[in-house]
Amino acid sequence: MKHLFCGLLGWLMLGHPGMSCAEQHEHAQGKAVYDDNCAHCHGYEGDGQGYAFENVFPKPRDFTSGMFKIRTTPTGEEPTLEDLYNIIRLGMPGTTMPAWEKVLPEEHLREVSTYVEQFYKEEDEEDEEDEEDEEDEED
């Protein structure tokens, strides 16, 4: 039992390896804001499959794809964090995505922007790891 407790305590203290305490806090805050305000359309996994998915048009953005319409980066490139912040703050014209600037404080807008970014950044990291594994197998 003592080992189980120590293992769980260590797991909780580590949180997300590679993240500072401040980053872990921001991630947790962003997740809470996302879960409360965004997941019903965009899904808890960021895949655009929230429970309101069937009732909105156009369908909610699948964040895991890394494809975004409104951004300052060239076509085919991922948006900047500021791009995400602005679309969350101002909403998406012609869709059911509202402007959140009068609903959420700026701090929450920034935290949820960072949280949304992780949906496609994690996908990129997994793809890079798969490519490295394939290269190692070829050698």
Side-chain angles (χ1 to χ4, degrees):
M1 185 70 174
K2 180 180 177 183
H3 295 288
L4 177 63
F5 175 76
C6 290
L8 287 173
L9 181 61
W11 181 78
L12 289 171
M13 289 176 65
L14 286 176
H16 297 278
M19 283 184 160
S20 69
C21 288
E23 289 170 330
Q24 288 180 31
H25 175 74
E26 183 177 33
H27 183 270
Q29 290 295 105
K31 180 180 180 351
V33 173
Y34 180 88
D35 288 354
D36 288 346
N37 299 285
C38 312
H40 57 279
C41 288
H42 294 285
Y44 288 97
E45 302 300 317
D47 58 4
Q49 302 289 313
Y51 66 81
F53 168 80
E54 296 290 329
N55 302 315
V56 296
F57 183 82
K59 297 300 180 201
R61 176 75 44 205
D62 173 0
F63 299 132
T64 63
S65 72
M67 302 292 287
F68 294 82
K69 288 184 179 183
I70 297 179
R71 64 192 183 292
T72 59
T73 56
T75 300
E77 289 191 21
E78 295 172 347
T80 65
L81 192 55
E82 196 67 17
D83 291 336
L84 295 176
Y85 167 77
N86 284 325
I87 199 67
I88 294 167
R89 184 174 62 88
L90 301 172
M92 181 70 175
T95 73
T96 56
M97 170 71 182
W100 290 95
E101 69 182 340
K102 294 185 178 166
V103 179
L104 297 173
E106 182 171 347
E107 179 182 3
H108 288 181
L109 294 171
R110 297 264 178 214
E111 291 164 345
V112 78
S113 299
T114 301
Y115 184 75
V116 166
E117 183 181 48
Q118 61 91 29
F119 285 122
Y120 61 87
K121 292 290 185 186
E122 284 180 358
E123 194 87 7
D124 288 349
E125 290 170 8
E126 288 174 11
D127 291 345
E128 287 174 14
E129 287 174 11
D130 290 344
E131 287 174 11
E132 288 174 7
D133 291 344
E134 288 174 10
E135 289 175 8
D136 289 344
E137 289 174 6
E138 291 174 3
D139 293 336

